[in-house]
Amino acid sequence: MASHLLNNAILITGGAGFIGSNFISYFLGKYPKTNVINLDKLTYAGDIKNTAELAKNPNYTFVEGDICDTELVSNLFHEHTISGVIHFAAESHVDNSINSPIQFIKTNIEGTFTLLEVARKFWNGNKNYRFHHISTDEVYGSLGMDGFFTEKSSYQPNSPYSASKASSDFIVRSYHHTYGMNVVTSNCSNNYGPRQHDEKLIPTIIKSAIKGLKIPIYGNGKNVRDWLFVEDHCKGIDVIYSNGVAGETYLLGGNNEFDNLTIADKICEILDKKVPNKNGSYKNQIEFVEDRLGHDFRYAIDASKIQTDLGWKALESFESGLEKTVDWYLKKYQSK
């Protein structure tokens, strides 16, 4: 990592969530002398248990609070001399954004603006300090059967969630071009792995299966996603934060395209081996439900830019990553 990024402290927002908590564990393991300040509101998507292992680490500080709280964010910058921001915090569940979009607008747009504005004023033009904005491939809309998203793809968000993330991406971009801030943005494909919220597809399939419930699959199950193991994503974020070019965007994907029904089948096959069901295969519990409004058909990432420019690529095979994920959730659900 570039040494100037380790001089003081790094503010990580949303670090009690799925990707954020995995990243902090990875980051402090690799850079044990860096001070990490984790600011998280602990909404439904954040869980303090996700970072329980870090509580005794003298270089880790947890702060419960809202990224929209200008006074709180400003106080953190001054108290800890923040030299970098890695911004995970976001409302991210698409169904929730359809039912109640206002919180997505507030957190994802206003919250990102608040962080940028405080950082801009505190850093006062110091281009050694960096703001890394974590975004999603959903800002690009829906792909057909062919092609991939690249850094040059046009934005076509189709849900209130993706629209709010697209807006935040543009605000980050504007702070680089208007104020010269040292910002980078990364847009990733669907993450999977330990600590993901129960509402997401893979945890929902696992939990429903082992509890004997119907496994809900939207529409005909043919919607396609590219899946990225969370640890590979964490490594990619580290590489971008450390070595990415200011003002640039980098796409991270796992090169693992599967439709939702195939994902359900694969998980059921793993569960059939690990915890056999006396009533037969878990696949018998799969049930198609009414499709989500504005459900994008396919997302897929071309990650060649970060591979070529920064030397990153996803290393975890989908088979091994999925088995690790199933094992983690089995331990979680069977212990209750």
Side-chain angles (χ1 to χ4, degrees):
M1 171 177 278
S3 59
H4 64 265
L5 296 175
L6 293 171
N7 288 341
N8 299 305
I10 294 173
L11 176 65
I12 295 180
T13 69
F18 165 44
I19 304 174
S21 63
N22 276 281
F23 179 77
I24 292 175
S25 296
Y26 165 82
F27 192 76
L28 282 174
K30 185 173 181 181
Y31 308 108
K33 295 182 180 181
T34 303
N35 291 316
V36 169
I37 316 303
N38 176 12
L39 175 60
D40 197 296
K41 193 177 178 181
L42 293 182
T43 63
Y44 68 93
D47 189 341
I48 196 66
K49 296 177 183 177
N50 285 340
T51 54
E53 72 208 44
L54 301 171
K56 295 181 180 179
N57 188 323
N59 292 327
Y60 172 75
T61 302
F62 174 75
V63 178
E64 183 176 353
D66 192 338
I67 59 173
C68 295
D69 185 338
T70 302
E71 183 178 1
L72 171 62
V73 174
S74 182
N75 287 342
L76 289 177
F77 268 75
H78 285 85
E79 179 182 352
H80 298 282
T81 317
I82 300 297
S83 63
V85 175
I86 302 179
H87 176 35
F88 293 94
E91 292 282 347
S92 65
H93 190 39
V94 176
D95 286 354
N96 289 351
S97 82
I98 294 169
N99 296 327
S100 182
I102 188 169
Q103 195 57 49
F104 288 72
I105 303 304
K106 184 172 181 62
T107 299
N108 298 353
I109 301 176
E110 182 183 334
T112 301
F113 162 73
T114 299
L115 291 165
L116 284 163
E117 186 65 0
V118 170
R120 180 180 73 86
K121 292 177 179 178
F122 183 76
W123 292 342
N124 193 30
N126 189 332
K127 291 182 172 54
N128 285 326
Y129 297 162
R130 165 156 286 180
F131 189 106
H132 184 164
H133 177 57
I134 310 296
S135 191
T136 171
D137 58 358
E138 295 192 38
V139 299
Y140 299 113
S142 183
L143 284 168
M145 291 299 296
D146 302 313
F148 298 89
F149 295 135
T150 73
E151 289 79 4
K152 295 182 180 180
S153 296
S154 61
Y155 275 45
Q156 299 182 44
N158 290 322
S159 70
Y161 161 62
S162 57
S164 68
K165 290 298 290 184
S167 299
S168 65
D169 290 4
F170 285 131
I171 294 170
V172 172
R173 183 180 188 275
S174 76
Y175 268 65
H176 173 70
H177 287 278
T178 301
Y179 303 112
M181 275 185 67
N182 179 354
V183 306
V184 285
T185 296
S186 56
N187 299 72
C188 66
S189 59
N190 276 36
N191 277 218
Y192 71 103
R195 303 177 187 164
Q196 193 168 26
H197 193 276
D198 290 359
E199 72 193 1
K200 300 297 186 178
L201 177 67
I202 288 177
T204 294
I205 294 170
I206 299 169
K207 183 177 182 179
S208 300
I210 64 175
K211 290 186 177 296
L213 305 173
K214 293 294 185 181
I215 300 170
I217 300 296
Y218 281 127
N220 61 8
K222 296 302 181 182
N223 298 75
V224 176
R225 300 293 181 262
D226 171 28
W227 293 91
L228 175 64
F229 191 60
V230 66
E231 186 174 338
D232 277 329
H233 187 196
C234 291
K235 294 175 181 177
I237 294 167
D238 176 26
V239 167
I240 295 167
Y241 179 75
S242 303
N243 300 312
V245 176
E248 290 294 306
T249 294
Y250 299 90
L251 268 57
L252 301 102
N255 196 28
N256 293 308
E257 282 191 68
F258 298 100
D259 63 50
N260 291 345
L261 183 57
T262 299
I263 294 293
D265 285 343
K266 286 179 177 292
I267 292 172
C268 288
E269 289 167 5
I270 294 173
L271 291 173
D272 286 341
K273 295 177 182 178
K274 291 181 178 290
V275 284
N277 188 340
K278 62 181 180 181
N279 296 320
S281 174
Y282 290 99
K283 292 182 183 181
N284 297 330
Q285 296 169 223
I286 294 174
E287 179 181 66
F288 297 103
V289 298
E290 184 178 354
D291 205 357
R292 165 193 290 161
L293 294 172
H295 195 179
D296 291 333
F297 174 68
R298 173 174 171 259
Y299 306 141
I301 290 286
D302 177 353
S304 58
K305 176 178 176 179
I306 188 173
Q307 291 172 4
T308 301
D309 293 359
L310 302 180
W312 173 91
K313 67 177 180 178
L315 298 177
E316 188 76 44
S317 74
F318 187 71
E319 289 70 23
S320 64
L322 191 60
E323 185 156 353
K324 289 177 183 178
T325 303
V326 170
D327 286 342
W328 190 88
Y329 283 101
L330 283 176
K331 184 177 179 180
K332 174 184 176 181
Y333 295 139
Q334 292 177 332
S335 65
K336 292 184 177 180

